[in-house]
Amino acid sequence: MVDWNLAVATAIRFARSGPEVSQDEARAAVQELRRHAKASEEHVRAFTRMAPAGGEFADTPVLVVDRAGWVRANVAGFRAVLGPLLDKMQSRRSATPGGAVLGAVGGKVTGVELGMLLSFLSSRVLGQYETFAPASRDLPGGTGGGQLLLVAPNIVHVERELDVDPHDFRLWVCLHEETHRTQFTAVPWLRDHLESEIQAFLGETDVDPATLLERLREAAQSLTGNRPEHPDGGPVERGGRSIVELVQTPTQREILARLTAVMSLLEGHADFVMDGVGPSVVPSVAEIREKFQKRRASGAGRLDQALRKLLGLDAKLRQYRDGERFVRAVVGEVGMDGFNRVWTSPNTLPTKAEIHKPADWVARVHRKAES
């Protein structure tokens, strides 16, 4: 169904070249990122007061990678997560006449498409906690089942573009990404919960070719502006939905609402921690935050903005903003320890509605527990 090797090769071939750095500069950047990642552990854990029940954090490695390394890690994660769905689609296709031939051709087409998508994203990601990729020779793992990736060329590129202190910026990025690692290593059930929700989402995928084709056609029409019409002659309004939203079933929309709430929590919490720790350890944090927010919101150009909208990346930007407001409001009302009840179980995670109304989460989780 997907030629994964072709996806990797395509992404690496078409990825943008990184910033020009000497070998010594590259080596120094890698070493500094590793030092900052290590220092960030203590800063983040002290600020968040998060710790696993047994007191021992799971061991997860920090990997400073280039864009090709980021691509390989994400393809490995995709293979692990999408495996059950692709097996389901493959078995259905194999039962149809000519299915093997169509599968071979389709796998290469899908591999190229995925590779092009990853080539676009590979120059934009500064860091990532890769949750699902299995450990391998190229992607060593620890007991925690995840890897913290820091994409060195992208970090160097952005610090130069923003014209900020590189040492401060690298530590600032590490604080954000270390928060994600702490979230998963201090909350052991979180990874399994996310995987369960994702598999439920994929399990609801309609693999009927005619239905999928119709939804993809609708997505293409939304991008080109050639929208279908209502029976009364008026255009169908889609509210600027992304391609991800256009191929969903009603059940998938419910699951995605829960996933959106969780991702808003995780991203907003990381931004909150980054800003909370920043003033004490990153002297120029105010300047970095102001410049980075402007860059995050603007996009590089019209094509970049169109792709972000189509791929749903604008929704991710809203997750940072909405999630950070939720965390700030809850901590302001019940303190850090009170906020940390969010990590008790899947039942204490905020709903999508509660992300926008933090007081409702406080009422549900705290006042119910106290009554």
Side-chain angles (χ1 to χ4, degrees):
M1 297 300 296
V2 180
D3 188 328
W4 298 107
N5 292 330
L6 182 58
V8 171
T10 301
I12 293 174
R13 178 182 178 185
F14 288 98
R16 295 179 181 179
S17 59
E20 292 186 8
V21 295
S22 68
Q23 189 173 35
D24 289 342
E25 288 174 323
R27 186 181 298 109
V30 169
Q31 292 174 347
E32 184 172 30
L33 286 169
R34 286 176 177 155
R35 289 197 305 270
H36 284 332
K38 183 62 178 177
S40 295
E41 287 185 24
E42 294 184 12
H43 296 314
V44 169
R45 293 174 187 180
F47 183 82
T48 63
R49 304 177 197 165
M50 293 178 66
E56 290 292 328
F57 284 86
D59 174 35
T60 55
V62 176
L63 306 177
V64 182
V65 298
D66 57 11
R67 291 169 180 174
W70 180 85
V71 166
R72 293 188 182 96
N74 277 265
V75 168
F78 283 147
R79 293 187 73 166
V81 171
L82 295 177
L85 172 63
L86 296 181
D87 289 344
K88 174 182 175 182
M89 297 179 71
Q90 181 66 38
S91 63
R92 177 172 292 191
R93 174 175 283 178
S94 298
T96 62
V101 175
L102 289 174
V105 175
K108 294 190 178 301
V109 171
T110 307
V112 170
E113 291 173 341
L114 177 59
M116 294 302 295
L117 169 61
L118 289 173
S119 73
F120 170 76
L121 295 174
S122 66
S123 63
R124 286 157 173 78
V125 177
L126 301 182
Q128 173 184 338
Y129 186 77
E130 173 49 57
T131 316
F132 302 111
S136 66
R137 184 183 63 181
D138 296 329
L139 197 67
T143 59
Q147 299 94 4
L148 178 60
L149 308 177
L150 297 170
V151 191
N154 295 349
I155 294 173
V156 172
H157 171 76
V158 173
E159 70 192 24
R160 291 179 176 179
E161 181 182 295
L162 298 181
D163 190 24
V164 295
D165 183 280
H167 308 293
D168 285 2
F169 184 74
R170 293 167 190 178
L171 177 55
W172 189 71
V173 170
C174 287
L175 289 171
H176 182 100
E177 302 307 333
E178 176 57 37
T179 303
H180 286 316
R181 182 164 68 156
T182 298
Q183 290 163 348
F184 283 92
T185 55
V187 186
W189 56 263
L190 184 57
R191 180 186 183 277
D192 290 341
H193 173 69
L194 276 179
E195 184 173 20
S196 175
E197 289 281 62
I198 292 171
Q199 292 303 328
F201 181 91
L202 295 175
E204 288 292 328
T205 298
D206 189 344
V207 293
D208 175 68
T211 302
L212 187 59
L213 180 62
E214 178 61 29
R215 289 179 180 162
L216 291 174
R217 186 179 297 117
E218 184 183 356
Q221 289 169 340
S222 74
L223 181 63
T224 61
N226 298 321
R227 297 180 295 178
E229 296 183 347
H230 281 301
D232 62 4
V236 175
E237 293 295 337
R238 297 187 179 82
R241 287 190 289 165
S242 71
I243 192 171
V244 176
E245 294 170 307
L246 286 167
V247 297
Q248 290 166 18
T249 66
T251 300
Q252 284 176 315
R253 291 191 184 100
E254 294 178 6
I255 298 171
L256 189 65
R258 297 195 298 268
L259 281 170
T260 298
V262 176
M263 297 312 297
S264 295
L265 170 69
L266 299 180
E267 296 293 357
H269 183 235
D271 265 13
F272 177 79
V273 173
M274 182 169 58
D275 287 346
V277 175
S280 63
V281 297
V282 182
S284 59
V285 65
E287 177 191 2
I288 292 173
R289 164 57 79 182
E290 180 182 2
K291 290 183 176 180
F292 191 77
Q293 287 286 59
K294 289 180 180 178
R295 181 185 185 276
R296 178 188 275 177
S298 64
R302 298 183 67 179
L303 176 59
D304 185 75
Q305 291 173 358
L307 285 169
R308 291 196 322 179
K309 188 174 187 64
L310 179 65
L311 298 173
L313 300 182
D314 282 348
K316 185 172 180 63
L317 299 183
R318 290 193 295 273
Q319 288 174 6
Y320 286 104
R321 183 186 65 239
D322 297 340
E324 195 274 342
R325 282 202 294 247
F326 170 84
V327 177
R328 187 171 300 279
V330 172
V331 172
E333 185 168 348
V334 297
M336 186 65 75
D337 291 335
F339 165 78
N340 280 340
R341 287 194 188 181
V342 78
W343 312 115
T344 304
S345 75
N347 293 329
T348 56
L349 292 171
T351 64
K352 189 175 180 181
E354 288 170 341
I355 286 289
H356 298 282
K357 294 183 178 180
D360 289 354
W361 180 86
V362 172
R364 177 171 68 87
V365 173
H366 281 266
R367 291 169 193 167
K368 181 178 180 181
E370 294 166 0
S371 62

